[in-house]
Amino acid sequence: ILGITLSESGDFEGAFDNFHKALEIDPRNLDTLSALANLHNSQSEFESATARLIQIQEIDSDDATVDYRLGVIHHQKGQIDDAIRKYEACLVKDMKHTDALYQLSHLYAARGDMKNALLSSQKAADLKEKPLYRKRVDEILENLGETLDELMLEQDEAH
C-alpha cells in the first residue's frame, strides 16, 4: 500500500524502493508485481513493465488481464500485430473482456479490417452498456456504409 501511495504522490523512486523491498519478502506477490508493472508502464519503462507482467503470467497463466496489459504495452509501442495477438490471447481466457474487444476494434480498423473491427465493437457493446462502445460501433458503421446485418449475411455466405 505504501508503494502505491508513494507512486500516487509522485515519489516514484520511493515507490520503486518500497515495491522491491516487498518483493524481497515475497517475490511471487501478484499485487506487488502488478503495481510495479503499472509503475514501470507509467514511466514509459515498457521493457521493465513487460518483464513484471511475464513474471505474473508465469505464476498465474490463466490471468487474462496480463495478456490485455501486454497488449496495451505493445499498442503503446506501435507494435500492432503483437498487440492484436495479446488482445486475442486475452479473449481466449476471457471472451467477455470488453476492453480487449474495444482495443481490437481500433487495431483491426488501423489495419483496414473493418469487418472484424465492427464485429469486435459490436461484441463489446452487446456485453456492456457503455456509451463509448456503442459510439465506436456507430463510427465504424458510418465509415463502412453498411449495416451489421449485411456484414453477417456476407460472413454466412462465405461459410
Side-chain angles (χ1 to χ4, degrees):
I1 296 175
L2 178 59
I4 293 171
T5 303
L6 291 168
S7 174
E8 289 173 351
S9 70
D11 182 0
F12 302 117
E13 185 176 327
F16 278 119
D17 288 344
N18 185 271
F19 290 137
H20 286 118
K21 286 177 184 172
L23 287 176
E24 287 174 12
I25 296 167
D26 182 3
R28 296 174 58 85
N29 185 299
L30 297 175
D31 292 333
T32 303
L33 289 167
S34 181
L36 193 52
N38 287 341
L39 184 56
H40 282 298
N41 195 42
S42 74
Q43 299 298 300
S44 298
E45 298 171 356
F46 301 125
E47 298 309 317
S48 296
T50 298
R52 294 301 178 183
L53 291 170
I54 289 170
Q55 280 182 280
I56 294 170
Q57 205 163 45
E58 289 169 353
I59 296 166
D60 182 5
S61 62
D62 294 329
D63 188 346
T65 304
V66 172
D67 288 304
Y68 174 76
R69 292 169 65 191
L70 287 167
V72 169
I73 290 171
H74 286 300
H75 196 166
Q76 289 170 319
K77 292 169 65 176
Q79 299 168 335
I80 303 302
D81 291 338
D82 291 332
I84 288 172
R85 277 192 287 281
K86 285 299 178 183
Y87 291 139
E88 289 174 343
C90 171
L91 291 170
V92 167
K93 295 173 185 174
D94 178 5
M95 64 183 183
K96 294 182 178 184
H97 198 291
T98 53
D99 289 333
L101 287 164
Y102 179 75
Q103 294 301 327
L104 275 172
S105 75
H106 285 281
L107 294 176
Y108 287 142
R111 285 183 19 185
D113 184 353
M114 297 309 289
K115 290 181 183 181
N116 278 324
L118 178 58
L119 293 172
S120 295
S121 294
Q122 186 66 50
K123 285 179 191 175
D126 289 347
L127 288 169
K128 192 174 194 176
E129 286 299 319
K130 193 172 181 179
L132 181 65
Y133 296 155
R134 182 58 52 203
K135 181 181 176 192
R136 180 73 184 141
V137 170
D138 293 342
E139 288 170 357
I140 293 171
L141 282 173
E142 185 176 313
N143 288 335
L144 281 175
E146 298 176 298
T147 65
L148 182 60
D149 291 336
E150 289 171 340
L151 284 175
M152 294 303 217
L153 181 61
E154 286 177 22
Q155 189 176 30
D156 288 342
E157 289 172 357
H159 291 118

